[in-house]
Amino acid sequence: MSGDVLQRLNDVLLEIGPLAVAVSGGVDSLTLAETAHRLLGADRALMVHAASPAVPYEATQRVRDEAARAGWTLRVVEAGEFADPSYRANPVNRCFFCKTNLYGTIRQVTDRTMVSGANLDDLGEYRPGLDAAREYSVRHPYVEAGLHKATVRALARDLGLGSVAELPAAPCLSSRVETGIRIEPETLAFIHAVEGLVSRSLEAGIGPRRAVRCRVRAAGIVVELDPDSLAALDSVRQAALSAEIRAGAPANLPEASVRFAAYRTGSAFLTGTVR
């Protein structure tokens, strides 16, 4: 990675000064946290992670492990979005309510400038959470420094973050629930269990090109996979997995069919057109 890129990012972080990094447990926020910690030190870089039914426990543990390894100043909080009826109703702008609760909670913990791991690639997608960030004056150092996702991964490798650099994209579990279907903790636990089940069945390692998504839709359960993973599951294995998935469905989900399909970003969202 070019030294000029890192210098631009460092310049942004130095200009911000004491800050609080919202750390989700993905490659973007973990890399930003490590960069800020090395540059500003434990006294001026605070990391805040929100534990939630919508956040896989592996992500929370990953944040704790990185904090212990690197000596971060870390606060783990409950953002409280599950007490917000607007979030639980799962409208198309659900992420706005999620991030509003997150940033509101961080503001109760610190008055420092909040920063996120959003990068330039995120600006081309529908991200209502960015509207919430604007209301709380959250800054996005990667965007200000002109970094795309690929550059963030390169930075993670340069920082020696190991497998973190290869983590696939992992939006919160609520992003798997079709717009308009109420967000329930039991549903999210089921989604997480299904994705783990399918991943183990594939016996494939993690990587940026890897995708396993369990979508809960009004029309049924759809397991979306990247092309290589989808091709690896023949009809016999799909049938066996479908039976196991249906058997583990929580009571709050009606009995529904299970099908496998190609992965599509954001395909659980309805924005006026059924997809």
Side-chain angles (χ1 to χ4, degrees):
M1 187 190 70
S2 167
D4 291 343
V5 173
L6 180 57
Q7 187 59 55
R8 291 202 308 270
L9 179 59
N10 285 344
D11 287 345
V12 172
L13 295 173
L14 286 170
E15 186 268 321
I16 294 173
L19 48 75
V21 184
V23 188
S24 67
V27 59
D28 296 321
S29 62
L30 287 171
T31 303
L32 182 61
E34 181 63 13
T35 303
H37 173 75
R38 294 189 187 189
L39 182 68
L40 301 175
D43 291 338
R44 295 199 295 159
L46 170 67
M47 318 310 170
V48 184
H49 173 74
S52 162
V55 177
Y57 68 84
E58 296 94 343
T60 297
Q61 190 58 51
R62 191 180 302 122
V63 172
R64 292 187 184 277
D65 289 346
E66 288 296 325
R69 179 193 61 78
W72 298 348
T73 300
L74 173 66
R75 293 285 300 272
V76 178
V77 299
E78 278 282 348
E81 75 272 29
F82 277 75
D84 183 348
S86 295
Y87 170 85
R88 296 287 295 277
N90 195 18
V92 71
N93 64 337
R94 181 201 66 250
C95 290
F96 172 82
F97 300 105
C98 175
K99 296 299 186 184
T100 295
N101 282 280
L102 170 63
Y103 296 136
T105 298
I106 296 177
R107 179 55 66 233
Q108 294 173 17
V109 171
T110 179
D111 60 0
R112 296 181 182 187
T113 298
M114 291 179 275
V115 299
S116 87
N119 60 69
L120 286 176
D121 293 354
D122 297 324
L123 302 185
E125 301 176 354
Y126 177 59
R127 297 267 179 160
L130 293 175
D131 295 330
R134 196 172 301 111
E135 292 189 4
Y136 279 88
S137 300
V138 176
R139 292 181 64 171
H140 313 294
Y142 291 145
V143 174
E144 295 182 43
L147 273 66
H148 289 273
K149 184 82 169 192
T151 310
V152 174
R153 291 192 186 280
L155 175 58
R157 296 184 191 102
D158 289 350
L159 293 173
L161 295 183
S163 61
V164 167
E166 308 308 321
L167 287 172
C172 79
L173 294 172
S174 294
S175 69
R176 278 73 150 167
V177 182
E178 187 174 88
T179 299
I181 298 176
R182 181 175 169 82
I183 301 295
E184 300 287 359
E186 298 83 2
T187 303
L188 303 187
F190 167 71
I191 288 169
H192 186 239
V194 170
E195 293 182 355
L197 170 69
V198 175
S199 295
R200 290 190 298 274
S201 176
L202 290 167
E203 298 179 348
I206 64 171
R209 298 175 183 270
R210 176 78 181 280
V212 179
R213 296 285 189 274
C214 172
R215 309 287 195 192
V216 171
R217 296 179 169 278
I221 298 163
V222 183
V223 178
E224 295 183 354
L225 303 169
D226 59 273
D228 290 343
S229 296
L230 186 59
L233 287 181
D234 59 29
S235 59
V236 174
R237 295 177 70 192
Q238 287 189 21
L241 283 170
S242 295
E244 193 167 351
I245 290 169
R246 283 195 298 271
N252 65 297
L253 289 181
E255 185 174 347
S257 61
V258 177
R259 66 182 179 89
F260 293 80
Y263 169 66
R264 292 183 296 147
T265 302
S267 65
F269 284 102
L270 299 180
T271 55
T273 301
V274 176
R275 291 185 288 175

